[in-house]
């Protein structure tokens, strides 16, 4: 079968589509015929050997995927049936014509979702739910500021926050991204790096309750200044590439504010059943229409490397998807 593989740790331009043996499912795996694969930031890091998970090349990329069950293993234990539509997530392996994935990391795909949308769901939306609920303690009626709001995690956060009853303010860098964030469900949008004063105006001087930050860099200090009393910054990533921000903790003391790390993968993958619980929280949001992943560019299997290059150069909107079939 065909699979997108990292052969040398020299970056996305050098990933290859290769012929490999089909996977052999383990006793707790589901064998899936893959239709679509999400393009994820961990894939980019994996192509350079910069991710915390460091498999030995050659290995297959693909964190998120969607497709059809070929072999459910034990239906009594997995809960799946042959022919069932599913989405799944793992550290790698999904960018192939077939994948054997643990049943606990595989989810029934609602009929309302296409395969492209299914491949855009797991990592970003489960990360957003973990960030807002577990780490952010988000309450109905609070206001969430989302950086990088036109990207995959950003759009997921806008929608999950709405599903949890929050008001959302998107921060983006261009008017094109502003339109995309609005279409994804943002209540308010601020364009440009000087967002602090605009956010204060939008909140009547109070500030926001939660900031979700996938960008880091220079925006971090102004995010601290945007917090209302008892506000929380959720640190998800550092896409700006400007290094790790520093926090003057006296500012936290004066405002009774928090900075909280968000490491969904390390938390969820070591707690069997946790991802399934999260998925059940998402399903009503999917059925109501508040969660509908905005798929940006689509590529064929040979375009996976280009999709990663486009992500690296910050040309992508929403979640890019590779169509396997």
């Amino acid at each position: 079968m065909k699979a997108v593989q990292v052969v040398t740790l020299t970056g996305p331009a050098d990933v290859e589509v290769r012929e490999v043996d089909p996977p052999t499912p383990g006793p707790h795996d589901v064998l899936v015929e893959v239709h679509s694969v999400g393009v994820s930031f961990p894939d980019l890091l994996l192509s350079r050997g910069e991710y915390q998970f460091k498999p030995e090349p050659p290995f297959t990329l693909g964190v998120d995927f969607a497709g059809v069950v070929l072999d459910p293993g034990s239906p009594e234990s997995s809960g799946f049936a042959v022919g069932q539509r599913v989405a799944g997530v793992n550290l790698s392996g999904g960018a192939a014509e077939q994948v054997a994935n643990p049943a606990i990391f595989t989810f029934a795909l609602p009929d309302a979702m296409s395969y492209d949308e299914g491949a855009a769901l797991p990592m970003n939306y489960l990360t957003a739910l973990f960030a807002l609920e577990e780490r952010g303690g988000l309450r109905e009626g609070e206001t969430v500021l989302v950086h990088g709001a036109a990207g995959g995690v950003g759009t997921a956060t806008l929608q999950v926050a709405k599903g949890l009853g929050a008001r959302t303010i998107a921060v983006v860098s261009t008017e094109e991204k502003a339109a995309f964030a609005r279409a994804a469900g943002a209540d308010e949008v601020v364009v440009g790096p000087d967002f602090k004063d605009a956010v204060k105006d939008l909140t009547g001087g109070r500030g926001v309750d939660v900031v979700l930050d996938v960008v880091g860099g220079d925006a971090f200090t102004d995010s601290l200044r945007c917090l209302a009393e008892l506000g929380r910054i959720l640190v998800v990533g550092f896409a700006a590439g400007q290094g790790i921000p520093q926090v003057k903790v006296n500012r936290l003391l004066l405002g009774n504010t928090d900075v909280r790390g968000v490491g969904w993968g390390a938390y969820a993958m070591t707690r069997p059943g946790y991802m399934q619980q999260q998925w059940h929280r998402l399903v009503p949001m999917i059925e109501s229409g508040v969660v509908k992943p905005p798929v940006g560019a689509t590529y064929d299997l040979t375009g996976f490397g280009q999709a990663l290059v486009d992500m690296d150069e910050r040309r992508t909107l929403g979640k890019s998807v590779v169509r396997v079939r």
Side-chain angles (χ1 to χ4, degrees):
M1 68 171 191
K2 291 182 172 60
V4 178
Q5 293 209 308
V6 172
V7 181
T8 60
L9 300 175
T10 50
D14 294 328
V15 303
E16 300 179 15
V17 176
R18 308 175 81 204
E19 287 289 338
V20 301
D21 293 332
T24 301
H28 304 293
D29 290 342
V30 179
L31 183 64
V32 177
E33 176 188 80
V34 178
H35 285 236
S36 298
V37 183
V39 180
S40 303
F41 196 66
D43 291 315
L44 180 60
L45 297 178
L46 281 164
S47 75
R48 295 173 174 149
E50 295 174 351
Y51 200 47
Q52 55 261 40
F53 167 59
K54 297 184 183 298
E56 194 67 30
F59 61 88
T60 299
L61 291 173
V63 174
D64 299 303
F65 64 88
V68 176
V69 174
L70 294 175
D71 182 352
S74 168
E76 295 80 14
S77 59
S78 76
F80 297 108
V82 173
Q84 185 172 357
R85 300 168 74 250
V86 294
V89 65
N90 210 328
L91 293 170
S92 63
E97 292 181 310
Q98 295 181 16
V99 61
N101 203 56
I104 58 172
F105 302 157
T106 308
F107 320 102
L109 186 62
D111 291 340
M113 292 281 105
S114 68
Y115 291 118
D116 287 356
E117 291 169 331
L121 270 167
M123 187 185 73
N124 288 347
Y125 282 79
L126 298 182
T127 295
L129 187 62
F130 173 71
L132 294 171
E133 279 201 321
E134 299 278 2
R135 303 298 294 131
L138 183 67
R139 292 179 285 274
E140 187 173 357
E142 290 191 316
T143 300
V144 180
L145 176 67
V146 182
H147 286 290
V153 175
T155 51
T157 302
L158 291 172
Q159 294 183 355
V160 172
K162 293 295 289 183
L164 296 173
R167 177 194 183 197
T168 56
I169 301 174
V171 177
V172 295
S173 57
T174 67
E175 290 295 342
E176 180 188 20
K177 292 180 178 180
F180 199 85
R182 286 191 189 96
D187 292 314
E188 311 283 354
V189 181
V190 177
V191 180
D194 301 322
F195 59 89
K196 178 172 64 71
D197 292 341
V199 169
K200 287 288 188 181
D201 289 343
L202 288 170
T203 58
R206 177 181 176 274
V208 299
D209 302 290
V210 173
V211 175
L212 186 125
D213 187 7
V214 298
V215 176
D218 295 338
F220 188 82
T221 299
D222 278 345
S223 293
L224 278 173
R225 293 173 176 148
C226 285
L227 288 177
E229 188 176 25
L230 303 180
R232 296 85 76 194
I233 291 186
L234 308 178
V235 179
V236 180
F238 313 102
Q242 296 173 340
I244 308 300
Q246 303 295 309
V247 180
K248 293 185 177 180
V249 295
N250 64 311
R251 184 176 293 279
L252 306 183
L253 182 152
L254 293 170
N256 284 305
T257 52
D258 297 342
V259 178
R260 303 178 184 178
V262 177
W264 168 75
Y267 185 92
M269 287 190 170
T270 57
R271 288 164 172 80
Y274 179 73
M275 282 192 206
Q276 295 292 335
Q277 294 170 21
Q278 285 196 294
W279 190 263
H280 289 307
R281 291 281 287 131
L282 279 183
V283 168
M285 300 184 199
I286 295 170
E287 292 174 343
S288 73
V290 70
V291 163
K292 188 171 178 60
V295 174
T298 58
Y299 306 77
D300 62 20
L301 198 63
T302 59
F304 200 104
Q306 184 60 52
L308 292 176
V309 170
D310 291 345
M311 172 182 281
D312 193 28
E313 295 177 357
R314 303 187 72 175
R315 292 198 294 264
T316 56
L317 297 172
K319 180 86 164 181
S320 296
V321 170
V322 169
R323 292 173 175 164
V324 180
R325 51 171 52 82

